[in-house]
Amino acid sequence: MAKIKIKLVKSKIGKTEKQKRTIEALGFKKVGQIIEKEDTPQIRGMIQKVSHMVEVID
């Protein structure tokens, strides 16, 4: 399966609890961190929910 790289570009401070939990579920610990995940519909949906906070690389 294809991989997707995601970068956290904005802090989760001041965001809703649901958005904070989504960022944590994706695996982010700090701003600027880049993680690699499987490109599944579930991950794409999570990225879409916090699209204003993350950036897709590739």
Side-chain angles (χ1 to χ4, degrees), residues 35-57:
I35 58 171
E36 193 170 322
K37 292 282 189 183
E38 294 288 332
D39 191 5
T40 63
Q42 294 83 4
I43 297 295
R44 287 285 182 171
M46 293 168 80
I47 292 170
Q48 187 176 0
K49 289 291 183 184
V50 291
S51 62
H52 57 287
M53 298 169 67
V54 297
E55 177 180 285
V56 177
I57 303 171

Side-chain angles (χ1 to χ4, degrees), residues 19-47:
Q19 290 171 339
K20 289 179 186 181
R21 286 197 310 261
T22 302
I23 290 296
E24 289 169 9
L26 282 169
F28 288 110
K29 301 287 184 196
K30 57 186 178 180
V31 177
Q33 183 180 4
I34 297 173
I35 58 171
E36 193 170 322
K37 292 282 189 183
E38 294 288 332
D39 191 5
T40 63
Q42 294 83 4
I43 297 295
R44 287 285 182 171
M46 293 168 80
I47 292 170

Side-chain angles (χ1 to χ4, degrees), residues 3-19:
K3 297 274 189 177
I4 186 170
K5 286 186 179 180
I6 318 159
K7 180 177 182 179
L8 184 62
V9 293
K10 283 196 173 183
S11 172
K12 60 184 181 180
I13 296 173
K15 304 297 188 249
T16 65
E17 192 61 36
K18 197 170 185 179
Q19 290 171 339

